[in-house]
Amino acid sequence: MNSFHVVQWIDGHLRMLDQRVLPHEEVFIDYTSAEETARGIRDMVVRGAPAIGCAAAFGVVVEAFRIAASGIPSSWPQAMAPGLRALEESRPTAVNLRWSLERMRPLLVSTPPGDVPQRLLDEAQAILREDHAACLQMGRFGARVLPDTPGRPLTIMTHCNAGALATGGVYGTALGVIRGAVDAGRAVRVIACETRPFLQGARLTAWELLKDGIDTTLITDNMAAHLMSQGLIDVVVVGSDRVAANGDAANKIGTLGHAICASRYRIPFMVVAPLSTVDRNAPDGSHIPIEERPMTEVTHIGGVRTAAPGVKVRNPAFDVTPAELITWFVSERGAMEHPTREKMRLLFLG
Amino acid sequence: MNSFHVVQWIDGHLRMLDQRVLPHEEVFIDYTSAEETARGIRDMVVRGAPAIGCAAAFGVVVEAFRIAASGIPSSWPQAMAPGLRALEESRPTAVNLRWSLERMRPLLVSTPPGDVPQRLLDEAQAILREDHAACLQMGRFGARVLPDTPGRPLTIMTHCNAGALATGGVYGTALGVIRGAVDAGRAVRVIACETRPFLQGARLTAWELLKDGIDTTLITDNMAAHLMSQGLIDVVVVGSDRVAANGDAANKIGTLGHAICASRYRIPFMVVAPLSTVDRNAPDGSHIPIEERPMTEVTHIGGVRTAAPGVKVRNPAFDVTPAELITWFVSERGAMEHPTREKMRLLFLG
C-alpha cells in the first residue's frame, strides 16, 4: 500500500502535495497561515472532502502557531476569527471542512491559553488518524457487499478521485473499497472516469491505482452509459462531499448522471463517505450548496484554450444524487442498503 | 446564415476545412485521390455523418479524375476498386458514407467510359445540394414540434456537432432545428456539451452558433444531468450517425447517457438525421458497428498528455440510444413521434 503525503505536519508547518500538477510532477507546498491554507484549498492544491477537512484542521494549527510567535493573545477566539473565516469560506460544498473546524473551535476556549497551539496540533493529528481508521473500516464494510462475479474479475467503475489523495493520504473512501476488495483477495478491474473539467480521474485516480498495481482503464465521463449498456460494469463506487439527512449525496459533477444510468441497467451504486461527511442540518439534497467554479476550467485544458472564444460557461463542481438511486451507503459504521432518512438517523444513535 | 466550406469542389479537386484545428485556425486541405480523402475522413479533418457522405462522394470524383489523367481505364469498376475500398473503410459507424458510395458506384458502369469523371462530379454535387435541402426541411419540421415555453426562452441542449460543419456546410441537422426555431422567431438559448474526447461541442458547435449570434453556453458532458435535474433544459436535440430499422440511433459517445437522463426528467429527446442515415439492413442498434478510436484522444488534450502514464484506455466513438428513449425522430420527411419499426418502415414508403 502506498502512502501519499497529502497533508503532513513537518518542521512546525503544514505541507501539502500539490494535486494540480499530478501526475506529471510531485511538488510540495508549505503553509504557515490560515489565509494561505484557505487559498490552497480554494485553488485545489488539496481536494476531496476528507482531505479538505484534514487540511483545514492543520490550517487552524499553523494560524495558532503564527499568532503565538508574537505572544499569546488575550482572546484566542478573537485572534483566530479571520483565519477561521477564511478557511470556512474556502469551499462551500464539502461539509467535512466545517465539521473539522467545529472540532477545533471549542479548544480555543477550553484550553489554557499558553497550550492552545499544541492542543490544536494534537486534535488535527487525531483527525488525521481517525480519517485513516475510518477509511480502513469503510474499505472492509464496502468490499463485503460488492457483487459476486463468479469466474471473472469484478469490474468497478469510479468517478473523480475518492482515494488516498482525497483523504488523509493512505486508503481512500471509494478507492478504499476497491483496495478492500483487493486485500480480500478478489480479482478487480477498475474503470476510472476522467472527470472533467479538473481531470481528477485521469490524473489522480489512475495514478494512485497504478501505483498499487490495480488494473485500471480510463474513459471519458460520457462513455460510462455505453459501457453499462454493454454489461461491462458490475458496480459503481464513488465518494461524497456532503450527505444530507435523508441520504441524498452531493459528489463531483457527473455522479448524478452515472447513478441514473446505473439505475436503468440495474447496476449497484455505492456511495462511500465517513460520518463527518453527513450534514444532519441538511434535510435533503436541495439544501446542499453547489459551488460554481471559474469558467476557465471548462474553456481551457492544461492552460490551453480549447473552446470557441466568447462562449458562455456553466461550471457547477458538484451534483446531488437522490437517495433512491443509491444502493449502498458505506460509512465507518457499516454498509447501509438503500439509505433513508430513518436509517440515516439510526446511524448516529449506533 | 453563415456558410462553412466544409466540402467544396474547387479548381478540379476536393477542398475541405480542417475541423481538427477549429476554432483557433481556419485551414483548408486539398485532396486529389481517394486514398488521401479516406485518410482525411479517418483523421477527422471532416466529421459528422452527412459531411462524411459528401466528402466520400467527392473522394470518388477526385479518384476518377486522377485515373482519367493517365487515360480512360478499360474497366472503371476495377480501376476504382482500391479507392472505393479505402473510402468505405475509413470510418465504420456513419452509414451515410456507404450510402453515398452506393449512389456513385452504379455510375461507373452505366455511364459511357469517357464521361465517368464528369458524371460522378454531377452526382456528388447533387448529393451536396440534396443534403442542404434536407437540412432545411428537417430544421422546419423539427422546430414545429419543439416544446412551448410561454414567457421565457426555449433552452435546447445539444451534444457534439450536428451543425453546418457536420453536413454539407450550411444549416446542419440538430443545429438546423435550432436555426429553424430562430428563423421561426423563437427566443432560443443553447446548452452545448463540450463532447470529450474530441471536443466537437466546445470547438465546433459553440463556434458556429456564436457566428450566427445564437446565445450559447458551454458545459462539460457530465454537467447535463445536473442541469436537467434543476429544470434548466427544455429539450435535447442531437444528430445521428446511423439509425437502425427500429429507430435505435447511434450517435457520438455520450448521447445515450443524455437520453437516459432526459427520460428520467421527462425532457423531450429529439434525433435529427436525413434518410441517408437510416440503415434498413440493421434490424436494431446491436447491429451497428461502434468505432474504437486511438487512445491518445483520451490520454491527451490538445497534444498535451493529461492522463497518468501507463493507464489502459477505452475509446468508443459512438453509442446507441434505444428507440424507446427517443421522443422525436426528425428527417426530411417530417417529425415522427416515438419511432418504432413499423413507423420507420412506413417512412420509406412515403
Side-chain angles (χ1 to χ4, degrees):
Chain A
M1 190 194 306
N2 284 285
S3 165
F4 301 98
H5 298 294
V6 172
V7 169
Q8 49 182 329
W9 180 256
I10 194 159
D11 298 337
H13 54 254
L14 165 63
R15 177 168 291 175
M16 300 201 291
L17 175 60
D18 187 352
Q19 300 194 27
R20 299 168 304 177
V21 297
L22 284 178
H24 312 294
E25 295 173 69
E26 294 185 34
V27 174
F28 293 90
I29 305 180
D30 291 340
Y31 295 89
T32 55
S33 75
E35 196 79 52
E36 284 171 15
T37 309
R39 195 174 314 118
I41 293 171
R42 193 171 56 242
D43 295 347
M44 294 173 74
V45 170
V46 66
R47 26 64 50 202
I52 291 173
C54 296
F58 284 101
V60 174
V61 177
V62 290
E63 183 72 359
F65 276 106
R66 189 185 68 79
I67 288 168
S70 33
I72 302 301
S74 55
S75 161
W76 271 111
Q78 202 176 322
M80 294 287 287
L84 285 167
R85 196 174 318 114
L87 287 166
E88 191 158 5
E89 292 172 353
S90 59
R91 293 199 67 193
T93 302
V95 78
N96 316 54
L97 193 155
R98 278 200 272 149
W99 170 87
S100 173
L101 296 177
E102 292 318 312
R103 259 180 79 157
M104 305 296 276
R105 205 186 299 270
L107 306 176
L108 299 178
V109 289
S110 66
T111 310
D115 300 343
V116 161
Q118 184 59 45
R119 178 69 192 85
L120 293 173
L121 176 56
D122 294 345
E123 191 67 16
Q125 302 278 28
I127 288 174
L128 197 56
R129 277 195 310 275
E130 291 168 25
D131 170 83
H132 182 193
C135 286
L136 287 169
Q137 291 274 48
M138 290 185 278
R140 268 194 289 268
F141 287 130
R144 276 188 212 150
V145 297
L146 290 170
D148 285 326
T149 54
R152 60 177 180 83
L154 173 74
T155 303
I156 303 175
M157 188 182 100
T158 189
H159 187 69
C160 195
N161 173 270
L165 290 166
T167 58
V170 184
Y171 211 66
T173 55
L175 300 195
V177 170
I178 293 171
R179 293 188 166 100
V182 170
D183 291 348
R186 292 199 67 171
V188 166
R189 294 193 306 196
V190 176
I191 303 288
C193 296
E194 65 172 2
T195 317
R196 280 282 288 147
F198 214 67
L199 299 172
Q200 291 94 333
R203 298 189 299 108
L204 309 179
T205 293
W207 184 70
E208 75 165 89
L209 290 180
L210 291 172
K211 281 211 177 197
D212 273 5
I214 295 172
D215 182 328
T216 305
T217 299
L218 179 66
I219 60 170
T220 60
D221 306 313
N222 60 12
M223 292 172 189
H226 174 67
L227 266 57
M228 290 183 191
S229 77
Q230 304 294 300
L232 299 175
I233 310 283
D234 295 312
V235 59
V236 181
V237 181
V238 297
S240 176
D241 295 81
R242 188 184 305 211
V243 179
N246 71 337
D248 291 353
N251 191 42
K252 180 51 57 192
I253 191 77
T255 304
L256 171 61
H258 295 325
I260 293 169
C261 293
S263 168
R264 177 175 172 90
Y265 296 109
R266 301 183 190 288
I267 297 166
F269 189 88
M270 181 185 287
V271 173
V272 189
L275 292 186
S276 58
T277 304
V278 179
D279 180 0
R280 299 171 73 192
N281 295 319
D284 59 48
S286 69
H287 293 80
I288 299 175
I290 301 295
E291 176 183 10
E292 187 90 15
R293 292 192 53 85
M295 63 182 282
T296 49
E297 289 183 0
V298 175
T299 54
H300 291 63
I301 302 179
V304 178
R305 182 172 190 102
T306 50
V311 72
K312 295 181 192 176
V313 170
R314 282 292 314 271
N315 186 11
F318 302 94
D319 56 28
V320 173
T321 298
E324 66 189 87
L325 295 176
I326 299 171
T327 317
W328 294 100
F329 171 59
V330 176
S331 72
E332 65 271 44
R333 293 268 168 90
M336 173 194 294
E337 195 165 5
H338 299 302
T340 61
R341 189 179 303 279
E342 181 58 13
K343 289 184 193 172
M344 291 295 292
R345 198 179 63 77
L346 293 172
L347 193 62
F348 282 88
L349 302 179
Chain B
M1 189 194 308
N2 284 285
S3 165
F4 302 97
H5 297 294
V6 171
V7 170
Q8 50 181 328
W9 181 257
I10 194 158
D11 298 337
H13 54 254
L14 166 63
R15 177 168 290 175
M16 301 201 290
L17 175 60
D18 187 352
Q19 300 194 25
R20 299 168 305 177
V21 296
L22 284 178
H24 312 295
E25 295 173 69
E26 293 186 34
V27 174
F28 292 90
I29 305 179
D30 291 341
Y31 295 89
T32 55
S33 76
E35 198 79 51
E36 285 172 14
T37 309
R39 193 172 317 117
I41 292 171
R42 192 171 59 243
D43 295 347
M44 295 172 72
V45 170
V46 66
R47 25 64 51 202
I52 291 173
C54 296
F58 284 100
V60 174
V61 177
V62 291
E63 183 72 359
F65 276 105
R66 188 184 68 79
I67 289 168
S70 33
I72 301 303
S74 56
S75 161
W76 271 112
Q78 202 175 323
M80 293 288 287
L84 285 167
R85 196 174 319 113
L87 287 166
E88 190 157 6
E89 292 172 355
S90 58
R91 294 201 64 193
T93 302
V95 78
N96 316 53
L97 192 155
R98 278 201 272 148
W99 170 88
S100 171
L101 297 177
E102 292 318 312
R103 258 180 80 159
M104 306 295 276
R105 204 185 300 269
L107 306 177
L108 299 177
V109 289
S110 66
T111 311
D115 300 343
V116 162
Q118 184 59 45
R119 178 71 192 83
L120 293 174
L121 176 57
D122 294 344
E123 192 68 15
Q125 302 278 30
I127 288 173
L128 198 56
R129 275 195 310 274
E130 290 167 26
D131 170 83
H132 182 194
C135 286
L136 288 169
Q137 292 274 47
M138 289 186 279
R140 268 193 290 268
F141 287 130
R144 276 188 213 152
V145 297
L146 290 170
D148 284 326
T149 53
R152 60 177 181 81
L154 174 74
T155 303
I156 303 174
M157 188 181 99
T158 189
H159 187 68
C160 195
N161 174 269
L165 291 166
T167 58
V170 184
Y171 211 65
T173 54
L175 300 195
V177 170
I178 293 171
R179 292 188 166 100
V182 171
D183 291 348
R186 291 198 65 170
V188 166
R189 293 192 307 195
V190 175
I191 303 289
C193 295
E194 66 172 1
T195 317
R196 279 285 287 150
F198 214 66
L199 298 173
Q200 292 94 334
R203 297 188 299 107
L204 308 180
T205 294
W207 184 70
E208 74 165 90
L209 290 179
L210 290 172
K211 281 211 177 198
D212 274 5
I214 295 171
D215 182 330
T216 305
T217 300
L218 178 67
I219 60 170
T220 61
D221 306 314
N222 60 13
M223 292 172 189
H226 174 67
L227 266 57
M228 290 182 192
S229 77
Q230 304 294 300
L232 298 175
I233 309 283
D234 295 311
V235 58
V236 180
V237 181
V238 298
S240 176
D241 295 81
R242 190 185 302 213
V243 178
N246 71 336
D248 291 353
N251 191 43
K252 180 51 58 190
I253 191 76
T255 304
L256 171 61
H258 295 325
I260 293 169
C261 293
S263 169
R264 177 176 171 89
Y265 296 109
R266 302 183 191 288
I267 296 166
F269 190 88
M270 180 185 287
V271 172
V272 189
L275 292 185
S276 58
T277 304
V278 178
D279 180 1
R280 299 172 72 191
N281 295 319
D284 59 49
S286 69
H287 293 80
I288 299 175
I290 301 294
E291 176 183 13
E292 186 91 15
R293 292 192 54 85
M295 62 182 282
T296 49
E297 289 184 359
V298 175
T299 54
H300 291 61
I301 301 179
V304 178
R305 183 172 189 103
T306 49
V311 72
K312 296 181 191 174
V313 170
R314 282 290 315 273
N315 187 12
F318 303 94
D319 56 28
V320 174
T321 298
E324 66 191 87
L325 295 176
I326 299 172
T327 318
W328 294 101
F329 171 59
V330 176
S331 73
E332 65 271 43
R333 293 269 169 88
M336 174 194 294
E337 195 165 6
H338 299 301
T340 61
R341 189 179 304 280
E342 181 59 14
K343 289 184 193 172
M344 292 295 292
R345 197 180 63 78
L346 293 173
L347 194 62
F348 283 88
L349 302 180

